[in-house]
Amino acid sequence: MATVMPQKDVVIVGAGWTGGIVAAEAAKAGLSVVALERGKDRSTADFSMVHDELRYALRYDLMQNLSRETVTFRNNESMRALPMRQHGSFLLGEGVGGAGVHWNGMTHLFLDYDFQIYTKTVERYGKNKIPEGMTLQDWGITEEELDPYFYKFVEMAGISGSDHPLRPRSWKYPTPPMKLPPALQLFYDTTKAMGYNPFLGGSANLSQSYTNSDGITRAACEYCGYCERFGCEYGAKADPTVTVLPVAQRTGNFELRPYSHVLEILHDGKKARGVRYVNVLTNEEFEQPAEIVVLCGYVFTNVKLLLVSKLGTPYDPKTGRGVIGKNYCYQVGSMGATGFFENKEFNTFMGAGALGVSLDDLNGDYFDHSDLDFLHGGMISLSQTGRRPIANNAVPPGTPSWGKEFKVASIKYFNRYLSIGCQGASLPWRHHYLDLDPIYKDRWGQPLVRITFDFEDQDRNMVKYIAEKIAEIMKEMGADIVVPGGNLGPYNIVPYQSTHNTGGAIMGADPKTSAVNKYSQMWEAENVFVLGASSFAHNGGANPTGTVGALAYLAAEGIIKYSKNPGILV
Amino acid sequence: MDRRTFLKQTGLVVGGVIGGGIVGGLIGNAVATPEPKVEVQTVTETQTVEKVVEKTVAADYGQALQFFTQEQFEVVEAAMERIFPADENGPGAKELGAAYFIDHQLAGSYGVNGKEYMSGPFYPGEPTQGYQYQLTRQEIYEIGIKGIQDWCQKKYNKKFTELSEAEQDEVLTALQKGEVDTFVGYPPASFFSLLRTNTLEGVYSDPLYGGNKDMGGWRMKKYPGSQMSYTQYIDKDEVPTIEPVSLKSHMGH
């Protein structure tokens, strides 16, 4: 029998960015809040030995222990889905702070084109521009509505950056842009001369010490080069453990319970009454009753909990009906170019996770797609995240991959190559979705989430087009050898690509085609809120966390409103 | 010369060469630390110093085996040295201790795939679905080393370690191309790929894991290891050569 805990106003599943934001806002508003986190508690003190490429970047110290739980994957329905036995294509986080501890800090808000993608595409190009099977739909929100909530995230985290030449805003970043290393200056000058509109992207690595409106003070980034896959020992990179979680704690209304793995949402089909969870150290089971249940896990956790709890109508790819599991999307890469410089050395071993120069000229609908065989695009960036020696051994084509020649070239070019990348948008298809695997189980006997996903011609055509533009930029930058991207094979779960998985509990204005409304409130269970990138109706052409954060602030407002006035909020 | 005096003196020598706040911190730390390993890493600037080091420093107690047999170790060490050989740039995988590194790794969680999903049922998958064997890395190395030995016996009637460098390269090339037919239960090309990855890990990981001896791997790449700050350098054109530091220098801080 599960032990029943004292009732709370709000129970949060997962103490990452969205859980932390809701915890801080709801606790400040006087609600009693408990957050259940399956992993351990963490703080900056955990990271005094963090400059360790092997332990953190390659042995995945901060990532989900896959021996307990993973996902299964197949490219299409005719394949047998098999478990992702090792980390690869994306890195799932675990522990207090969630993936918000090991992120790079690149902070952008998706474009208005993203939020109204169906309407705007049809307006400009007509209905026939959308290929058969692409389940493109609006998000039920606009950039204008969301922008003030994005600013809340920016202000809380102390985001730095420059003005965006294509997106004038009513506000300025609270901290000035980060220092520009020579490689990024070269990219900035070159792209500007070519007629592009470069800018310094929003960075959660502080450019100077900063105090936010909650009174949280953090130190400036030291450009040590250990952000992505690492936690920041200075607290210079905004993460939930140095921003929103301490604010929630300070109110006295918040309790954080680590090692608490949620197994089930308890509900009557219309409303939830709480959750059932297990302490992963003792195996003891508990019930946490609450007025409001907020799912703040990663995409796969949120969708899995809804499916195993039988809450919400599961998506059926045959009919296209149902919502839970629908519109799973990813991020499209393979269009970047690598340039080798014979006579120029760059300080690329230094850096910061979000230190980069970007341009949106080929993102969204900033360019005319009338004569193109794809929709959307992506943000092009040169980033300097800090190049570490085990994983970075690029050599010019034709060089052997081992032996003396390899050694000589990999050492020579370590500081002499640059790679421009692009975060390509990933658009939804009727046959890309998440459901429960029929065979494979997790440690607690629950089914694993099954991913059915592949790249499509839409993606391949976009990759070809943008890869050419990126290769031109690399040539203009003066690289002696340019290795262009442009070939996109089938989706492969092995090589690391991006931890930008989206969809499965998407937002929209219509309860028939979406799981949640713009407040992340479930249409089918009004006191359940499902936050994070699981609510993205497609994935845009930029890093998702800024948009996730903005939507979390809007959801927090909705949760506080709901606590006073129950009912559907829209 | 006692070790303390030695450290002080060599510290001063090195300080003259490098300069900067990082060195100051490191020497202070080095003198105060009783463990011999770290200090040595800061002092390999000149021939004279290196000679002193060899005479003065105690044995490296980490250079013994946790997993391999001695014969297995020798095969792995020789193969790694061909993958990353000593040359005019500096030491190879052998001198850097890469084979000790992988021996120690295999004895721990990595060797038994401790944080990976190893539950059945097991089916051969598509290449896009990743690793689907029931084998642990310990077992993969057992298969790989035996496969190499059997192939060398069959083709050259010798052990791998008895082959010339050119012959060893032939064997590794055949492995990489999947042309070796003596592997039972795991593809030779996949084993080669693992061996190559582990070699680079052994060459470039923090010395705390037993490879990258004296940070010699990092020095070749001008990689400064675990620095706390690059703020003063990040926007400058010149790429500085900074004496590396390892995680040992963070102890007690």
Side-chain angles (χ1 to χ4, degrees), chain A residues 217-502:
Chain A
T217 299
R218 291 160 41 228
C221 172
E222 302 281 347
Y223 303 89
C224 77
Y226 285 84
C227 282
E228 184 176 46
R229 308 188 183 192
F230 304 86
C232 182
E233 75 272 47
Y234 307 100
K237 176 174 78 178
D239 81 42
T241 70
V242 294
T243 53
V244 285
L245 288 171
V247 170
Q249 298 277 19
R250 229 168 37 194
T251 63
N253 298 328
F254 174 63
E255 188 189 342
L256 176 62
R257 274 181 224 148
Y259 297 118
S260 302
H261 178 87
V262 176
L263 296 167
E264 186 188 3
I265 305 160
L266 305 166
H267 65 89
D268 61 8
K270 287 187 177 139
K271 277 176 91 172
R273 62 175 190 277
V275 298
R276 182 168 64 89
Y277 69 96
V278 59
N279 180 310
V280 299
L281 302 182
T282 64
N283 253 352
E284 199 179 347
E285 282 199 16
F286 297 89
E287 271 185 35
Q288 178 59 61
E291 294 294 326
I292 301 171
V293 172
V294 189
L295 302 191
C296 293
Y298 196 64
V299 167
F300 304 115
T301 305
N302 286 352
V303 172
K304 176 173 172 168
L305 269 176
L306 293 169
L307 291 174
V308 297
S309 310
K310 298 185 170 26
L311 185 60
T313 309
Y315 175 65
D316 180 350
K318 287 189 191 71
T319 61
R321 291 200 199 97
V323 288
I324 308 302
K326 180 181 170 179
N327 280 22
Y328 173 74
C329 295
Y330 191 45
Q331 194 92 70
V332 182
S334 297
M335 50 198 131
T338 297
F340 294 88
F341 294 75
E342 293 297 334
N343 301 311
K344 215 178 239 168
E345 252 193 314
F346 299 98
N347 58 6
T348 42
F349 57 84
M350 311 173 188
L355 181 58
V357 173
S358 302
L359 43 103
D360 270 333
D361 300 76
L362 296 173
N363 191 9
D365 208 31
Y366 283 121
F367 58 118
D368 185 8
H369 291 70
S370 300
D371 298 325
L372 299 175
D373 46 7
F374 64 92
L375 291 169
H376 214 307
M379 176 185 280
I380 295 171
S381 306
L382 179 65
S383 299
Q384 189 164 328
T385 59
R387 189 172 284 157
R388 293 170 294 272
I390 303 172
N392 293 287
N393 288 286
V395 288
T399 314
S401 65
W402 57 279
K404 181 172 161 60
E405 238 185 290
F406 165 76
K407 182 185 177 189
V408 170
S410 63
I411 288 172
K412 172 182 169 183
Y413 288 106
F414 181 59
N415 288 325
R416 292 170 191 269
Y417 75 92
L418 302 175
S419 295
I420 304 172
C422 178
Q423 310 267 356
S426 173
L427 303 183
W429 296 83
R430 189 162 156 171
H431 54 285
H432 295 177
Y433 59 96
L434 304 177
D435 64 357
L436 295 177
D437 191 273
I439 297 169
Y440 292 97
K441 305 266 191 282
D442 69 16
R443 182 195 202 183
W444 294 274
Q446 293 188 319
L448 302 182
V449 164
R450 175 170 67 179
I451 302 172
T452 305
F453 178 79
D454 208 346
F455 292 128
E456 302 287 337
D457 284 344
Q458 144 76 24
D459 307 309
R460 275 180 266 279
N461 297 339
M462 174 176 70
V463 163
K464 259 191 211 121
Y465 181 82
I466 295 181
E468 242 172 69
K469 309 281 182 189
I470 293 178
E472 279 171 22
I473 297 173
M474 190 53 96
K475 272 182 210 127
E476 284 295 310
M477 284 172 70
D480 296 288
I481 304 165
V482 176
V483 185
N487 285 319
L488 186 67
Y491 171 62
N492 183 336
I493 205 162
V494 181
Y496 183 79
Q497 289 150 74
S498 166
T499 307
H500 302 164
N501 315 70
T502 67

Side-chain angles (χ1 to χ4, degrees), chain B residues 22-50:
Chain B
I22 299 143
V23 174
L26 209 136
I27 290 165
N29 189 33
V31 174
T33 313
E35 173 67 35
K37 269 283 286 176
V38 168
E39 300 81 6
V40 177
Q41 295 164 0
T42 68
V43 297
T44 47
E45 287 290 316
T46 67
Q47 278 299 110
T48 354
V49 175
E50 277 173 14

Side-chain angles (χ1 to χ4, degrees), chain B residues 104-152:
Chain B
H104 300 353
Q105 285 284 299
L106 288 173
S109 165
Y110 179 72
V112 295
N113 304 43
K115 285 176 74 178
E116 295 164 16
Y117 191 80
M118 297 296 280
S119 307
F122 291 89
Y123 298 102
E126 296 296 322
T128 57
Q129 293 175 297
Y131 185 81
Q132 295 297 336
Y133 291 85
Q134 82 288 4
L135 300 168
T136 64
R137 289 189 187 83
Q138 288 186 350
E139 290 163 336
I140 290 173
Y141 264 86
E142 302 269 6
I143 291 171
I145 296 166
K146 181 162 190 329
I148 291 174
Q149 292 290 52
D150 289 352
W151 174 257
C152 294

